[in-house]
């Protein structure tokens, strides 16, 4: 009998066609967001789930899905999945690492440049018909070239961000759970390992590229923002929840830091509306990996993982080998 799978959100049609060659597929091209109870209902008879970062795969969802053998997330982050509960229930979990590193790093730079040089703020002003004359002090921002870039979270994406800084002649400092091997530091524009406190005090531009975990909740809060230079920018392409958004709004409002560029938010898409009252923040809707080629690669990677998991092979991006294999 063919395995049954659920594709939780809309995805490229050819990926669905490919999965249909292997499985009985329930898809969701209307792209409705399922409630927790709808998800449980739909997963009752499913062997596999193709998920995205929008679905919360909790211990309760896993417990309500007796046949579920694999959850294959179309994202590198997997904080939407209770991994321990999945492992305990013998459910394999996979993510999509590597395929998005370069695209995400490109976008981190887009956001950093837009933030430091006030691109969207200036564009809104122009569109509002306010451009009557050139001014010597119009939209003065911060330089990137020659400045110090501080990266918190120096995994593969953090390193890709660092590599791009050579063209700007920047000094790179970083903080990470552990120090990188010397050759990786060299390759990441001679990045120097520093404490988080030193990074926050020293960097002109602070970039967050660390994975979310409950231990990392509000890693950047009022105390950390207070350490930053009043001229500094903060860019978050990692996950909502790493920054205390209310504290950031207060810091931006009081000009305790210069500006922020945010692709991720607490409780997204229902983010804190306080950001909308500020002109010194650039806001994007979680699109750092959103190039055509990369989103396709992510979808293909999640499909590869699901096909491998349900055909008895080792999924290429298995996060919990200790889960074993459920019959
Ligand atoms: C995007 O945020 C991802 O985790 O892939």
């Amino acid at each position: 009998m063919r395995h049954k799978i659920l594709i939780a959100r809309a995805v490229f049609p050819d990926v669905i066609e490919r999965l249909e060659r292997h499985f009985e597929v329930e898809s969701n091209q209307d792209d409705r967001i399922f409630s927790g109870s709808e998800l449980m209902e739909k997963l009752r008879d499913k062997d596999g789930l193709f998920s995205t970062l929008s679905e919360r795969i909790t211990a309760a969802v896993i417990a309500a899905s007796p046949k579920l053998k694999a959850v294959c997330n179309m994202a590198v982050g997997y904080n939407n999945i209770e991994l321990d509960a999945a492992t305990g229930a013998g459910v394999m979990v996979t993510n999509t690492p590597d395929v998005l590193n370069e695209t995400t790093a490109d976008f981190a730079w887009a956001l950093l440049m837009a933030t430091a040089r006030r691109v969207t703020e200036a564009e809104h002003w122009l569109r509002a018909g306010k451009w009557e004359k050139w001014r010597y002090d119009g939209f003065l921002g911060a330089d990137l070239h020659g400045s110090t870039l501080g990266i918190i979270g120096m995994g593969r994406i953090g390193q890709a961000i660092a590599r791009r800084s050579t063209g700007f002649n920047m000094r790179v400092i970083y903080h990470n759970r552990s120090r990188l091997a010397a050759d990786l530091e060299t390759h990441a524009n001679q990045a120097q390992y520093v404490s988080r406190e030193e990074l926050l005090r020293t960097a002109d531009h602070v970039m967050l590229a660390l994975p979310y975990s409950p231990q990392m909740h509000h890693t950047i809060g009022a105390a950390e923002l207070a350490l930053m230079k009043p001229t500094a920018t903060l860019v978050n392409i990692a996950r909502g929840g790493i920054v205390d958004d209310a504290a950031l709004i207060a810091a931006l409002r009081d000009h305790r830091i210069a500006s922020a560029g945010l692709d991720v938010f607490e409780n997204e898409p229902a983010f804190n509306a306080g950001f909308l009252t500020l002109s010194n923040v650039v806001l994007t809707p979680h699109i750092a990996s959103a190039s055509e080629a990369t989103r396709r690669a992510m979808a293909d990677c999640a499909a590869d993982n699901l096909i491998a998991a349900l055909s008895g092979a080792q999924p290429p991006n298995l996060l919990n080998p200790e889960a074993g294999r459920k019959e």
Side-chain angles (χ1 to χ4, degrees), residues 108-119 141-149 164-171 204-207 233 235:
W109 275 89
L111 205 46
L112 174 56
M113 293 173 80
T115 303
R117 295 300 307 274
R118 304 173 64 178
V119 173
D143 278 326
L144 296 177
H145 71 271
S147 68
T148 297
L149 174 63
R164 283 159 173 72
S165 68
T166 52
F168 288 86
N169 193 24
M170 288 165 99
R171 171 177 174 236
D204 298 303
H205 306 289
V206 175
M207 182 80 80
T233 58
V235 171

Side-chain angles (χ1 to χ4, degrees), residues 53 74-78 96 100 237-239 264 286 289 295 298:
L53 48 81
M74 185 186 148
V76 64
Y78 49 90
T96 61
L100 45 59
I237 48 97
R239 271 290 180 277
V264 289
H286 205 145
S289 66
R295 283 286 166 86
M298 290 166 72

Side-chain angles (χ1 to χ4, degrees), residues 243-264:
V243 176
D244 176 344
D245 284 352
L248 177 58
I249 288 168
L252 289 166
R253 188 192 53 222
D254 301 343
H255 299 281
R256 277 184 268 122
I257 66 168
S259 54
L262 306 173
D263 188 47
V264 289

